Amino acid sequence: QVQLVESGGGLVQAGGSLRLSCAASGRTFSSYAMGWFRQASGKEREFVAAIKGSGAITYYADSVKGRFTISRDNAKNTVYLQMNSLKPEDTAVYYCAAKPDRTNLYDRGYYDRGYIYWGQGTQVTVSS
């Protein structure tokens, strides 16, 4: 039902920056929580960041806190992941995800899992 299209991945040197974008279909974008996940080669998929439908609350994995920023523009049906101070260990396929938000729920344990719509993934490679 909800289709997600990602862009912005690529190759960057350590210390550099990238901004990923995820465009979503639908007319009720603000009712969905959005998340970013990543999967490095040979590793499990891991949570990176999430944002509530309103954009008022964000959540981050400890590994990216202070370096990455998730944001959304509900008028454009788009969520972003600004990645600064990139490290080689950030190299992974990054996935955009969506699920209906629970507007009265403020619990990291809800927003780092349970997503039901997924983008195709975009490769981010950080070189030394």
Side-chain angles (χ1 to χ4, degrees), residues 2 7 12 25 32-34 36 38 46-47 53-56 60 64 71 79 84 89 92 95 104 106 115 118 122:
V2 176
S7 62
V12 65
S25 66
Y32 290 89
M34 301 295 295
W36 287 97
R38 67 187 183 187
E46 66 174 345
F47 169 76
S54 67
Y60 296 94
V64 307
S71 62
V79 64
N84 298 327
E89 51 263 45
Y95 297 91
N104 297 324
Y106 299 87
Y115 290 83
W118 294 86
T122 184

Side-chain angles (χ1 to χ4, degrees), residues 8-60:
L11 175 65
V12 65
Q13 291 186 338
S17 298
L18 284 174
R19 189 178 77 158
L20 306 183
S21 298
C22 175
S25 66
R27 294 184 174 90
T28 57
F29 181 66
S30 64
S31 69
Y32 290 89
M34 301 295 295
W36 287 97
F37 294 76
R38 67 187 183 187
Q39 187 169 22
S41 181
K43 295 186 177 181
E44 294 284 301
R45 185 179 65 191
E46 66 174 345
F47 169 76
V48 175
I51 186 167
K52 284 180 65 66
S54 67
I57 302 294
T58 58
Y59 307 89
Y60 296 94

Side-chain angles (χ1 to χ4, degrees), residues 59-112:
Y59 307 89
Y60 296 94
D62 289 343
S63 60
V64 307
K65 195 171 297 181
R67 299 188 298 121
F68 291 11
T69 302
I70 188 171
S71 62
R72 66 192 296 157
D73 186 338
N74 287 344
K76 296 181 178 179
N77 278 24
T78 302
V79 64
Y80 305 95
L81 184 68
Q82 178 67 46
M83 303 184 293
N84 298 327
S85 301
L86 283 162
K87 305 174 181 179
E89 51 263 45
D90 295 318
T91 295
V93 177
Y94 283 71
Y95 297 91
C96 175
K99 68 176 179 180
D101 197 12
R102 296 185 179 183
T103 57
N104 297 324
L105 180 62
Y106 299 87
D107 187 345
R108 158 70 182 268
Y110 176 78
Y111 293 100
D112 65 5

